[in-house]
Amino acid sequence: METEANISITQKELPSGNCQVKFYIEDERKPMYGYLLTNEPKPVGEIISEIQERIIRRKMMTSNNPLSLQNPVKEDHNFYLYSA
């Protein structure tokens, strides 16, 4: 993920005590949005770093062999990413 991408977030505390972060990645070539579930509210910089790390990790996992049945990609139920 390029560092030039503009990431904006909104945080919402859930009744469970967890924090749901909705984020938008404003990129002219590939805009995206998604959700991140954290155990507690975190500083904005820390959340953006975590989002960037998870995107990089997901790209690396799918780039090896995205359709392999022998090495399926493990789902991350605390991080969802969609194309806008």
Side-chain angles (χ1 to χ4, degrees), residues 2-78:
E2 289 100 36
T3 55
E4 302 94 43
N6 186 14
I7 300 176
S8 57
I9 66 168
T10 57
Q11 296 185 58
K12 175 181 171 184
E13 191 166 338
L14 302 175
S16 65
N18 292 336
C19 185
Q20 179 190 47
V21 178
K22 184 174 184 177
F23 62 90
Y24 298 93
I25 301 172
E26 299 168 17
D27 186 333
E28 289 180 15
R29 292 175 289 158
K30 189 173 181 184
M32 295 182 279
Y33 71 97
Y35 299 90
L36 172 67
L37 183 65
T38 63
N39 294 331
E40 60 190 9
K42 296 180 179 181
V44 173
E46 194 173 316
I47 290 172
I48 290 175
S49 293
E50 185 171 345
I51 291 168
Q52 290 174 329
E53 289 171 11
R54 287 180 184 240
I55 290 171
I56 290 168
R57 191 176 328 139
R58 179 174 284 185
K59 283 183 181 180
M60 289 175 61
M61 287 171 45
T62 58
S63 68
N64 290 338
N65 196 356
L67 301 176
S68 172
L69 296 176
Q70 294 175 341
N71 298 318
V73 175
K74 183 180 176 197
E75 282 293 318
D76 183 353
H77 297 289
N78 293 328

